[in-house]
Amino acid sequence: MRQSDNNPAVNDTDTRVRESVRVNSPHQIEFKERVAFPESADSVRYETETYIFLPPALQVTPEHFTSATLLRSLKNYIRLRAPKLPLTAFEDNTGPFADLDSALKDINVRTVNADEDYENAVRRFALTYRQSVKSALETLAQDPDSCTTEDVRRIIGQITGILAAYRNRQTYLVTLGRELGNNHAWAYCDEFMSIITAYYLRNVYLALDFEKQEIVLTLWESEKQYRLKHYPLSVPGAGADNETLLFRWSVLKKYVSSLLFLEAKVQGGQPMLLHSLYGVAAAVSMLFATIIAFSWQGTYGSLSMNLFWAMVIAYIFKDRIKESLRAWLYKRFQKWIPDRRLQLERGSYRHAGQVEESFRFINAEQVPEAVRKLRESAHTIELLSGKLPEDILLYKKEVTLEKLRTLTQDTGNSVLDIMRLNIRDFLRYTETLFEELPVLEEDAAETAARQAFGEKIYHIYVAQRIKIGEKRAVAMQRLVINAQGIKRLETVQPLTTQNED
């Protein structure tokens, strides 16, 4: 009910997109797009258009919300994704263990970046482990009836073997880390791998029958005892305040996953197109003032009172012409002018690409045909729903990733694009949570008390259109909200390929 996860819906020259949507809190919804591209790609560009259909009662209008206000309701993250490998790959001579050993062997302790290279190699292994274990255990959890006891025993045995092989390298890794002045990377990644193993084991444990659960429980208990011995602060206690534990886990995840982060820096200044438009407006207004000045000067002379008043009036109109023309030109060219431009970097030295964002109100005629038809078919109650007006917001994001083979040489060939929309500002003008209903005293007492009040809800529809090359895909979600926030998320249509001109 609270999450949808869709199969690849856009496929353009082997670039694939999957989307999942979930509610993170009463005020936040998260859209997660997984964009995978071929190893041979030099760059990839994709565009996401998010159409938000809001009931007029919420009063989300241009008078109350500017682009800057709306952009503050959004959080965007773009990060690389670690490769997802079968567990058997860890046993290969060219698998993750071989990559780890090779990377450590190539480290020159005298170089400036030796500490960073060591840390990245260990974190890369831990992230690959997470992706691979997650995939294997989620496959069991999704179809528990088709897997045999031997299948479960085999996968649990493979995970146990991988953890043991990593821990057998402890002496070498810790010694090298100390030589480089890094005493924590091995232990942090070891703790991370143990916790993430328990996390995914819990999910598969709940899906299996008793006999298979006993196999999973063996590894669960083993890892729990391991953490009690080496990382006691990471083991939750029944009835205890686990606030510190949760904070530690959050910091640990960020430490390990930061290897994949792309940093977004806001680019200052206005785009060249906007400067050009404003220049045109200034030139036209100046042309008007100059024509007035030359015309009156030729008629009344250069030092007359008439010319003086003509120049004053010309200046007044010049200023108004410039401002009006600027607004008119901006409105006409707004679709090509981003409200915010972000520069993507990996680390402090590696350019990764750019993001252009724009947020504006549009009318129903500007909604693409595929999105419009999807919105018309999404009503839960017919009545006059199709005739009722809506306020429509369009958030557009264009992402360009460059130098992909350099950028992803130590990760998988995919990125995770996460957008989190906070609707708290949309609730500013919501009405009361409950509304009294017409119930007579003669009605049955036990039902009257229950039916006397009804919860007041609103429907917000969020449609997304993703474009890669000539391919298009559309999805739509329905947010059922009340005065306190999001009640539930309903998928009207998962991400589906559309054939459009």
Side-chain angles (χ1 to χ4, degrees):
M1 180 184 70
R2 296 173 64 87
Q3 178 170 342
S4 64
D5 195 347
N6 308 314
N7 292 325
V10 180
N11 190 328
D12 184 62
T13 60
D14 294 329
T15 300
R16 301 179 302 281
V17 176
R18 289 178 57 203
E19 182 186 63
S20 61
V21 186
R22 70 177 184 180
V23 174
N24 283 345
S25 73
H27 297 110
Q28 188 183 87
I29 181 174
E30 177 184 278
F31 300 86
K32 187 179 294 184
E33 296 168 7
R34 299 169 178 85
V35 183
F37 40 82
E39 292 184 10
S40 58
D42 290 320
S43 65
V44 63
R45 181 180 179 276
Y46 60 93
E47 180 181 305
T48 302
E49 296 173 344
T50 303
Y51 297 85
I52 306 174
F53 299 84
L54 299 125
L58 298 181
Q59 297 187 40
V60 181
T61 63
E63 290 73 28
H64 299 110
F65 294 88
T66 64
S67 296
T69 303
L70 293 166
L71 285 171
R72 284 197 294 269
S73 299
L74 284 170
K75 282 187 178 182
N76 284 292
Y77 308 90
I78 299 179
R79 59 184 176 91
L80 301 168
R81 298 186 70 213
K84 180 171 61 178
L85 304 174
L87 296 179
T88 53
F90 286 81
E91 304 169 1
D92 295 342
N93 294 329
T94 58
F97 276 118
D99 292 339
L100 174 63
D101 294 338
S102 177
L104 296 175
K105 184 179 179 181
D106 292 340
I107 292 176
N108 185 342
V109 296
R110 294 184 177 85
T111 59
V112 176
N113 296 325
D115 172 36
E116 183 180 349
D117 293 340
Y118 163 78
E119 191 171 59
N120 288 345
V122 181
R123 289 191 296 176
R124 191 181 310 120
F125 178 87
L127 291 166
T128 304
Y129 171 85
R130 178 185 66 179
Q131 288 290 89
S132 302
V133 169
K134 176 184 177 183
S135 176
L137 293 180
E138 281 185 346
T139 300
L140 289 181
Q142 289 169 0
D143 194 6
D145 296 331
S146 64
C147 66
T148 65
T149 303
E150 289 304 316
D151 291 332
V152 177
R153 185 174 286 110
R154 173 177 51 81
I155 291 175
I156 296 301
Q158 289 171 334
I159 296 173
T160 304
I162 295 170
L163 290 172
Y166 176 78
R167 290 161 185 167
N168 286 339
R169 289 168 167 77
Q170 176 180 1
T171 302
Y172 171 64
L173 285 168
V174 171
T175 302
L176 178 59
R178 286 174 179 167
E179 187 176 357
L180 297 169
N182 188 321
N183 297 322
H184 55 259
W186 180 88
Y188 286 172
C189 289
D190 183 42
E191 182 180 355
F192 170 84
M193 290 164 61
S194 181
I195 295 174
I196 207 69
T197 301
Y199 181 86
Y200 293 121
L201 282 176
R202 176 185 179 276
N203 293 340
V204 73
Y205 177 86
L206 297 174
L208 298 176
D209 58 37
F210 177 77
E211 185 179 359
K212 297 170 185 174
Q213 283 180 338
E214 289 298 308
I215 303 172
V216 173
L217 193 59
T218 302
L219 179 55
W220 171 281
E221 289 294 339
S222 174
E223 287 304 304
K224 181 179 178 180
Q225 294 303 317
Y226 181 82
R227 292 198 307 280
L228 281 171
K229 180 179 180 180
H230 299 280
Y231 315 109
L233 294 178
S234 67
V235 180
D241 181 5
N242 293 313
E243 176 184 309
T244 303
L245 181 148
L246 191 59
F247 180 74
R248 176 184 177 86
W249 171 229
S250 177
V251 173
L252 193 62
K253 282 195 297 184
K254 288 178 182 177
Y255 165 76
V256 178
S257 300
S258 61
L259 174 67
L260 306 175
F261 291 171
L262 297 182
E263 184 179 1
K265 296 183 177 179
V266 178
Q267 286 184 298
Q270 300 289 354
M272 183 58 67
L273 175 59
L274 192 58
H275 283 300
S276 301
L277 294 178
Y278 287 173
V280 170
V284 171
S285 62
M286 188 62 191
L287 179 63
F288 169 80
T290 304
I291 291 174
I292 294 296
F294 282 5
S295 299
W296 284 64
Q297 185 176 0
T299 303
Y300 299 104
S302 59
L303 297 175
S304 66
M305 184 59 68
N306 288 334
L307 178 61
F308 170 77
W309 288 113
M311 291 294 293
V312 171
I313 295 172
Y315 180 82
I316 294 173
F317 279 97
K318 167 184 169 294
D319 186 60
R320 291 299 89 208
I321 288 173
K322 183 175 73 171
E323 293 302 320
S324 299
L325 190 56
R326 281 178 58 167
W328 185 84
L329 288 172
Y330 181 81
K331 185 176 180 180
R332 292 295 179 273
F333 288 87
Q334 186 181 20
K335 68 169 76 174
W336 294 289
I337 301 174
D339 293 315
R340 183 167 63 188
R341 295 179 297 162
L342 303 174
Q343 195 75 18
L344 297 178
E345 295 180 358
R346 191 181 181 198
S348 58
Y349 59 92
R350 191 181 299 177
H351 174 72
Q354 55 273 336
V355 180
E356 294 185 347
E357 299 174 286
S358 60
F359 220 147
R360 66 181 187 272
F361 289 86
I362 62 174
N363 54 47
E365 289 73 26
Q366 295 173 285
V367 177
E369 184 72 9
V371 177
R372 183 183 62 80
K373 289 182 178 179
L374 188 57
R375 173 65 191 95
E376 290 176 352
S377 65
H379 297 303
T380 55
I381 299 177
E382 288 301 324
L383 296 180
L384 296 176
S385 296
K387 305 293 184 180
L388 296 178
E390 288 181 308
D391 296 304
I392 306 173
L393 277 171
L394 169 60
Y395 168 65
K396 185 177 179 181
K397 177 173 64 177
E398 298 181 18
V399 179
T400 303
L401 299 173
E402 302 170 353
K403 301 178 181 177
L404 287 178
R405 279 178 278 187
T406 301
L407 182 66
T408 63
Q409 62 185 359
D410 58 348
T411 65
N413 297 307
S414 63
V415 295
L416 201 59
D417 190 327
I418 302 171
M419 181 185 80
R420 292 172 180 163
L421 173 64
N422 192 304
I423 68 162
R424 188 186 297 273
D425 287 340
F426 297 167
L427 306 177
R428 191 180 303 169
Y429 299 104
T430 52
E431 299 179 13
T432 56
L433 188 60
F434 294 96
E435 189 169 306
E436 190 172 0
L437 300 175
V439 178
L440 297 178
E441 294 180 1
E442 286 77 9
D443 291 341
E446 54 208 35
T447 60
R450 187 170 61 251
Q451 296 175 350
F453 291 91
E455 187 175 16
K456 193 170 183 61
I457 63 169
Y458 306 84
H459 286 178
I460 296 177
Y461 289 86
V462 183
Q464 283 197 303
R465 186 169 74 148
I466 301 173
K467 301 193 288 186
I468 298 179
E470 299 301 319
K471 299 293 184 180
R472 307 286 188 273
V474 178
M476 177 170 280
Q477 315 293 329
R478 181 190 298 112
L479 282 178
V480 181
I481 69 168
N482 58 21
Q484 293 181 336
I486 301 172
K487 284 196 65 179
R488 61 182 178 273
L489 167 68
E490 300 170 348
T491 298
V492 176
Q493 176 178 293
L495 199 64
T496 307
T497 301
Q498 299 287 326
N499 295 319
E500 297 183 16
D501 293 331

